[in-house]
Amino acid sequence: MLFKRLLLSAVSATVALAPMAATAAPVGAVVAQGASDEAEAYAGPRLVVTVVVDQLSANLFNQYRSRFTGGFKRLIDEGLVHANGFQTHGVTETCPGHSTVLTGMHPTHTGIGVNFSADDATGEGRYCLASEVNTLAHGQITDNGNVGTELLKVDTLGDWLQVQRPDSRVFAVSGKDRGAMNLAGHNGRAFWFTKGFGLTTFVRPGESAEERLAPVAQYNTRFPAAEQGQNWKANNAYCQSLAEDIEVVDGTFKSVVPPQNIGFDGSPTQDEETLKAATYLLQSQRLGQGKAVDMLGVSLSATDKIGHTYGTQGPEMCEQLMRLDAALGDFLSELDKVEGGVVLALTADHGGADIIERTHARGFPYAHRASFAVVEEANAALRQQFNLDFDPLQRGSSGLRIVDTQKRALAEPLRSQIARAAVPMLDSKGDFAMVVFRDELLQDPIMETIQPEELTVRERMRLSAVDGVSADLMTALKPGVATGGRLGGNMSAHGQPWNYDRKVPIIFWTPHAAGQERFMPIRTIDIAPTLANIIEVETPKLDGRCIDLNLGESPVCPVE
Ligand SMILES: [Zn+2]
C-alpha cells in the first residue's frame, strides 16, 4: 500500500509538469487521491477513439470491403465487425445520428431530432446545436451560426468519464461542427474546420477565444495552405471504370473524377486533413500516454458531401473511399504507438442512397424524385375547411410545419385541429409512406429495439420525435423516393426511415487483435455503454445495452 501511494505521488508530479498541462481540460490535470487509487488499479486502454464516417452506409461498407487495403482492412482483419449495425430511429440525419453514438440514447431522448428545425414563436430557422450565449472562436458568425451543446439534453461518455476521472481529457475533430460537438459532449473540446481559418470551436461566456483555440493554434498556422490543395486526381483504374453520364431532372450529370468545382469540404482532402488534425491532437496532447483515460472523437464528413453531390455508385465515391482507407491506415499506425493502449469504435451517423435516376436505370422502376402535389392539394382543402386565407402546411427538410403567414406556429387549438385534418389527406398518399402528427406520436410508447429491423415505420419515427423540435407533421417518403436532383445541388439524399439510410457498420477495434464477424444486429446506442464498460465508467440508465467484446482481458458486461 505504501509503495502504491509513493508511486501515485510520482505520477501526480509527472502529470502536473507535463507540457500539455496548460492546454488540458478546464477541470485540470490535478489527480484527486480517490481517482488515483482507481486509476492505479485500472488495467484497460488509456485511449478511446470514436470514428464516425458521415453517410457510410452498411451497403457502401459491404460493397467496398474486398477492395480496402489500408485502415478499413485493418479494422476488418483485427476488429469485431458488425455489418448489421443500425441507427435505430427514423429521421436519419447527421445531427441526430451523431447524437446517439456516445450518449447511448435515441434522438427522442438526446433532444436532437433533426438537423434544422424552426422557432415556433418567431418562425426563424433553428440549428440543432444553436446557442444563444456562445460565440465562435474565429471571430465571425459563419456556417451554422453561434453553436454550443445546450440543446444536447443528455451527457456523453466523455462527460461521465470526466466526472468519474477528473484527469481525463476529451477532444473531437470534424469537418462539421455537429460532428465534433456531439462526440466531445458538454465538457470536451470540439474542433471543426471553417473556411479560410482552419479549426475553430465555440466560446462560452467568460472564456477567451485564444484559450479555447490553444490546443490547435499551431496546427492552424499551416492549415490555409492545405485547404488550397484539393489534389483530387484519378488514381484508381476500377474507380475510373465507373464514370458515366446520368440524365437527371434538368440535364446531364457527368459522373467523373476529378469532378468540376471541387471544394475542400466536398473532396477527399477534407477527411485526410481531419485525420491529420486528429493525429496532431493525439501527439501534441499525448493522449493515452498518461495514467488517465483520454478520448478522441473523429467525425469524417467528406463521404457525406461526396455522396450528396455525386451519389454513391460513381467514381467519385470510389476514389473517396480508397483515399479514406489509406488515410485511416496512417491514423491507425499512429494509434499503434499509444503506449497506454487503445480501443476504437467506428460507425456512421446514417446511411444513404445513390442518385435515384441511376437506381431507376438499374432495375428499380419505382425509384423517382418526390412530388409534393398532395401537400398542395391538402393546403387547398385546409384553407377551405378552416376558412384560411393562407396555406397552413409548410414543407421543411424533415416534415411539415403548421404555420401562419409569418411562418410562426399556429395557436392552439387551431394547430391541432389542422394537424388532425391534414393527416388523413397525406398519410400513405402520393409519395408519402407515412405522415403522423408529432403530438400524437409522442404519446406512443418507446418500443424495445433489440431487433431494429423489425420495428414498424411508426416505431422508428417515434424514436426521433422531440417536442418543439420535430416537424408538426413528421413525414416519411416511400422507399426509393428522393428529393433534390438538380444539377449543382444535392444529387442524392438520406434522412428516411428505410434500412439503406439506417443500416451502418459498427466496428470495435484494438491494435493487432484477432478479427471476428458478428452478424446479429446491434445499434449505435450500444456503443457508449459498451465502451463505458471497457474503461470502467458507470453510466446512467441508457436506451442502449453493453455488448461483450471479449477483446483481450476486457471486462464482461454487468448482468442486467
Ligand atoms: Zn451525416
Side-chain angles (χ1 to χ4, degrees):
M1 195 65 192
L2 179 65
F3 170 75
K4 195 170 169 184
R5 285 202 183 281
L6 283 172
L7 192 67
L8 282 170
S9 312
V11 167
S12 298
T14 308
V15 170
L17 291 171
M20 75 290 189
T23 52
V27 284
V30 178
V31 183
Q33 196 62 57
S36 296
D37 278 335
E38 202 178 305
E40 184 66 16
Y42 174 77
R46 305 281 164 170
L47 179 64
V48 177
V49 177
T50 310
V51 179
V52 178
V53 182
D54 206 309
Q55 206 190 117
L56 182 66
S57 65
N59 289 331
L60 206 46
F61 172 75
N62 291 337
Q63 179 182 348
Y64 280 93
R65 261 184 93 144
S66 64
R67 297 187 185 276
F68 292 135
T69 58
F72 280 119
K73 179 169 168 52
R74 272 197 75 185
L75 294 176
I76 292 162
D77 289 347
E78 302 172 9
L80 309 182
V81 180
H82 301 81
N84 292 305
F86 280 85
Q87 290 281 359
T88 324
H89 56 276
V91 183
T92 47
E93 297 179 356
T94 295
C95 213
H98 276 89
S99 82
T100 68
V101 175
L102 289 179
T103 64
M105 302 289 259
H106 297 300
T108 191
H109 291 141
T110 67
I112 309 291
V114 294
N115 281 347
F116 293 96
S117 59
D119 186 313
D120 283 342
T122 65
E124 288 175 9
R126 182 176 52 197
Y127 182 56
C128 60
L129 290 171
S131 173
E132 295 181 3
V133 294
N134 298 341
T135 54
L136 293 168
H138 59 288
Q140 307 163 44
I141 296 181
T142 55
D143 306 325
N144 296 307
N146 290 328
V147 293
T149 58
E150 299 97 288
L151 295 176
L152 178 64
K153 300 295 184 198
V154 294
D155 286 339
T156 64
L157 177 59
D159 297 324
W160 309 321
L161 172 67
Q162 288 188 316
V163 167
Q164 294 168 43
R165 306 234 186 92
D167 48 344
S168 293
R169 292 165 304 142
V170 177
F171 291 88
V173 62
S174 175
K176 295 179 182 177
D177 58 24
R178 55 191 180 273
M181 284 188 285
N182 276 304
L183 297 185
H186 296 283
N187 294 316
R189 298 293 196 103
F191 298 101
W192 60 91
F193 287 109
T194 194
K195 197 172 175 58
F197 184 82
L199 291 169
T200 191
T201 188
F202 62 84
V203 182
R204 292 193 172 105
E207 295 176 334
S208 81
E210 191 182 13
E211 186 276 331
R212 293 283 289 169
L213 286 171
V216 296
Q218 196 187 355
Y219 171 86
N220 276 347
T221 58
R222 69 163 190 84
F223 176 71
E227 189 176 12
Q228 304 304 319
Q230 307 305 341
N231 188 30
W232 197 350
K233 297 193 187 84
N235 291 318
N236 183 297
Y238 167 71
C239 295
Q240 284 300 96
S241 75
L242 302 176
E244 63 181 315
D245 289 354
I246 304 165
E247 295 306 317
V248 295
V249 178
D250 57 348
T252 302
F253 173 68
K254 294 192 117 33
S255 179
V256 63
V257 167
Q260 293 180 325
N261 303 320
I262 311 162
F264 171 68
D265 65 350
S267 80
T269 312
Q270 187 190 50
D271 283 353
E272 290 166 351
E273 277 301 318
T274 305
L275 286 163
K276 283 180 195 165
T279 302
Y280 175 83
L281 285 168
L282 178 75
Q283 294 172 346
S284 62
Q285 298 290 329
R286 297 177 50 80
L287 298 177
Q289 306 284 356
K291 282 288 174 187
V293 177
D294 298 321
M295 286 184 65
L296 178 59
V298 186
S299 174
L300 300 160
S301 309
T303 302
D304 184 65
K305 183 77 172 178
I306 288 164
H308 282 305
T309 312
Y310 313 112
T312 64
Q313 296 302 312
E316 306 92 341
M317 182 62 81
C318 181
E319 289 278 4
Q320 155 64 10
L321 291 177
M322 294 299 104
R323 294 254 305 253
L324 176 56
D325 181 43
L328 262 179
D330 293 343
F331 179 61
L332 296 188
S333 297
E334 296 300 326
L335 295 181
D336 287 340
K337 301 173 192 165
V338 175
E339 289 167 9
V342 178
V343 60
L344 176 148
L346 179 141
T347 190
D349 55 340
H350 51 76
D354 188 29
I355 296 177
I356 216 73
E357 288 81 5
R358 184 157 47 196
T359 305
H360 181 103
R362 291 183 175 185
F364 299 89
Y366 60 82
H368 66 274
R369 297 288 169 187
S371 158
F372 293 97
V374 292
V375 177
E376 291 169 36
E377 291 165 19
N379 265 325
L382 293 165
R383 285 172 77 122
Q384 195 164 29
Q385 183 176 343
F386 291 91
N387 197 23
L388 305 171
D389 60 0
F390 59 90
D391 289 341
L393 303 180
Q394 181 204 12
R395 272 177 54 209
S397 57
S398 316
L400 300 163
R401 295 184 66 231
I402 299 168
V403 294
D404 67 12
T405 54
Q406 264 78 55
K407 312 297 181 200
R408 297 170 302 204
L410 283 182
E412 294 292 359
L414 185 58
R415 170 180 168 275
S416 292
Q417 289 165 349
I418 289 176
R420 293 197 169 91
V423 166
M425 298 175 188
L426 298 168
D427 186 25
S428 305
K429 302 289 195 321
D431 285 332
F432 287 125
M434 196 194 75
V435 175
V436 59
F437 182 26
R438 180 190 76 204
D439 298 18
E440 290 188 350
L441 188 60
L442 283 165
Q443 303 303 312
D444 286 8
I446 291 169
M447 297 302 289
E448 178 58 63
T449 63
I450 293 293
Q451 303 297 336
E453 288 165 295
E454 311 305 329
L455 293 183
T456 66
V457 178
R458 187 178 171 111
E459 287 164 351
R460 299 172 193 189
M461 299 301 277
R462 172 66 187 88
L463 302 177
S464 284
V466 179
D467 195 23
V469 169
S470 304
D472 297 308
L473 297 179
M474 295 174 64
T475 62
L477 294 171
K478 288 177 177 167
V481 180
T483 56
R486 297 199 173 272
L487 292 170
N490 278 354
M491 284 290 125
S492 64
H494 55 82
Q496 302 302 315
W498 313 115
N499 285 352
Y500 50 76
D501 282 353
R502 294 168 77 224
K503 201 168 161 187
V504 294
I506 301 177
I507 302 173
F508 295 97
W509 174 87
T510 196
H512 310 300
Q516 190 177 87
E517 194 78 12
R518 294 187 176 182
F519 63 88
M520 292 296 275
I522 67 166
R523 308 155 300 172
T524 55
I525 55 171
D526 299 327
I527 294 172
T530 299
L531 292 176
N533 187 57
I534 295 289
I535 59 171
E536 299 176 17
V537 163
E538 288 181 27
T539 75
K541 173 133 182 60
L542 303 176
D543 293 330
R545 71 181 181 95
C546 174
I547 292 165
D548 281 324
L549 298 187
N550 308 323
L551 272 174
E553 298 187 357
S554 63
V556 296
C557 294
V559 179
E560 291 181 25

